[in-house]
Structures are given as C-alpha cells and as structure tokens.
Amino acid sequence: EMSEMSERSKQNVAHGLAWSYYVGYLKIVLPRLKKSMEEFSRANPNLLACRKTWKLHILIPLSCDVYDDLEKADSNIQYVTDLTENTVARGGIKKRVYKNSLYAIRDEENQLWHCAVEFATPLQSLYAMSQDECAAFSREERLEQAKLFYRTLEEILKGAKECADAYRLIAYEEPEEAETHFLSREIVWHLRQEHHEEIAVLEESHTHTPSTTLDSAELNLQISVSDLPQPLRTDGF
C-alpha cells in the first residue's frame, strides 16, 4: 500500500534519480577528479591556480532545462579541453570511458575563469517526463521533483567521504525574462567564493589566528525549505 501511494505521488522519482546519478556516475568520477585536475594544472599552471576550484561544478536548473552544449547556452562559456579519461569495466562494458570537460568562463570584466562544469543529466529525464503524456508529470510536479533531487543528492554527497571537496552543486532558478549571460554569472559567482575560501585558508595558515570568514555552509548556494526556492544571491547580480 505504501509503495502504491509513493508511486501515485511520484515521490520515488527524484530520489531514485539522485541515487542512480551518484552510484552510476559521481561515485566513479569524483574520487579521480582531483588527480585529473592536478595533471592538467602541472601542464597549464596559470589556468588552475586556485586549488579550491579543482571540483566538478554540477549545474542543477530547477526548470530541468538542460543544454547539451554549454557554449550555446551562454557565449561567455567556452570549451577548453577534456580532462584525463577514466576507463572502468561497467555492466558488461569493457573499458567504459568517463571524462569531464574543462571550460573557460568569461566574467563581466572580461576575465577568464577555468573550471570543470556540467549539467546534472538526470534532470533531462524529469523534463522529458513532464513532456510525455504517459508520465502524467505536471510542471509543478517537475519543480518539486527537481528540488527533491537537489536535496537528496546533497545529502548523499555529504555522506560520501570519497567525494569530499571534489564537487560543488550549483542549483538555480532561471529569471523569468531571458538573460544572455545569466548562466556564466552564476558559475563565476561560485568560483569567486571558492577563491575567497582559499584566500581565507592561506591567511589563517600564515597568521595562525581564527578565521572570521564565512564557513562553506554559508557560502554555498542553498535551496529554501519553503515551496519557492531562493537560489539567487544578494550580491547585485
């Protein structure tokens, strides 16, 4: 009876997608990401100077509108290269390839920021379900599922020691009126926070005094517990 109630309310959709995303992908790529970033940094020391940005930046649009080509989503986002591939045997597929792409993000001052970034691909399934009559998935249900996906994934990754400090979830709600460079500004905001975090750590190690900077919980973008999330900042963007 509980299973039927859960299926009728679709409560198990986002929860299952989040776990599948973690077990089938993030648990494989995140523990290896730091090594790939370090290899790239040795060859290109000026592009990834801030170690705090050596993470996979995972975009989570609450609209579930996922672009296959980030460069088409925002012209201030430019593909640079792929990081070192990881090959593992998976589900009968020998030497299955997992890789992440590095991008250059141009800010409003024409400065370039480099990071590994990609969309959370399970959101494509939520979007497709809302477009398919067989799934009977409304836009409101899709929004609730997107928020549940984010919260579930956040909790899973918090408990995954092998993935610690190898990711940053960037959840956001797109503005009603289209903005050409909204996505690049959103990513750059997070990259700046990571730079601030690294500077704070360096200052603390040199001065040996307690840090007065905000902790990561305050700096990270959080989804409101209310029905309407508040992912936007108060920094003027």
Side-chain angles (χ1 to χ4, degrees):
E1 184 178 352
M2 289 297 294
S3 178
E4 290 178 358
M5 290 176 61
S6 178
E7 289 179 8
R8 284 197 298 268
S9 63
K10 303 181 181 66
Q11 292 176 352
N12 56 340
V13 175
H15 186 267
L17 285 174
W19 271 103
S20 177
Y21 185 46
Y22 165 69
V23 174
Y25 179 65
L26 295 181
K27 191 176 181 180
I28 299 171
V29 302
L30 291 183
R32 298 171 171 85
L33 184 68
K34 290 283 186 181
K35 183 178 179 181
S36 296
M37 299 289 275
E38 187 172 3
E39 290 175 357
F40 180 84
S41 182
R42 282 200 298 266
N44 305 272
N46 296 326
L47 297 187
L48 292 173
C50 177
R51 296 182 69 92
K52 276 288 184 177
T53 64
W54 292 12
K55 303 174 181 178
L56 181 60
H57 298 76
I58 304 172
L59 303 175
I60 304 180
L62 297 184
S63 65
C64 297
D65 193 2
V66 172
Y67 291 85
D68 290 324
D69 191 335
L70 274 168
E71 293 175 301
K72 291 182 179 179
D74 189 323
S75 60
N76 277 351
I77 303 175
Q78 296 295 319
Y79 168 80
V80 176
T81 188
D82 290 330
L83 296 174
T84 305
E85 295 180 352
N86 293 302
T87 58
V88 297
R90 189 77 175 171
I93 303 173
K94 291 185 178 293
K95 296 183 179 180
R96 184 167 184 174
V97 176
Y98 293 86
K99 63 181 179 180
N100 305 103
S101 298
L102 193 76
Y103 286 87
I105 319 296
R106 189 178 302 277
D107 66 15
E108 65 279 2
E109 297 174 355
N110 217 32
Q111 178 183 351
L112 291 179
W113 302 70
H114 294 82
C115 70
V117 59
E118 61 191 50
F119 281 99
T121 52
L123 295 179
Q124 289 179 310
S125 297
L126 287 177
Y127 188 85
M129 290 176 69
S130 69
Q131 304 297 308
D132 195 316
E133 293 181 0
C134 295
F137 221 55
S138 70
R139 181 177 297 181
E140 291 74 19
E141 287 172 323
R142 185 182 70 197
L143 174 60
E144 290 304 313
Q145 290 296 314
K147 291 190 287 185
L148 178 58
F149 173 85
Y150 170 80
R151 291 193 295 266
T152 303
L153 184 61
E154 184 180 45
E155 288 303 313
I156 293 171
L157 290 172
K158 280 182 178 178
K161 294 181 180 180
E162 69 274 21
C163 299
D165 204 36
Y167 68 91
R168 191 175 183 104
L169 302 182
I170 304 179
Y172 60 91
E173 190 168 19
E174 295 180 354
E176 293 183 3
E177 294 185 6
E179 296 183 21
T180 306
H181 301 303
F182 169 80
L183 187 56
S184 58
R185 288 202 305 270
E186 196 74 21
I187 298 171
V188 166
W189 185 87
H190 283 268
L191 294 174
R192 282 176 174 153
Q193 299 312 305
E194 289 166 342
H195 273 259
H196 294 332
E197 291 168 14
E198 177 157 294
I199 291 172
V201 171
L202 291 173
E203 289 178 346
E204 184 177 359
S205 64
H206 283 111
T207 61
H208 300 286
T209 57
S211 174
T212 58
T213 58
L214 297 175
D215 60 29
S216 60
E218 293 172 299
L219 288 171
N220 282 345
L221 182 61
Q222 297 295 324
I223 294 298
S224 171
V225 294
S226 64
D227 290 338
L228 292 177
Q230 301 296 324
L232 301 182
R233 292 90 52 204
T234 57
D235 57 358
F237 287 138

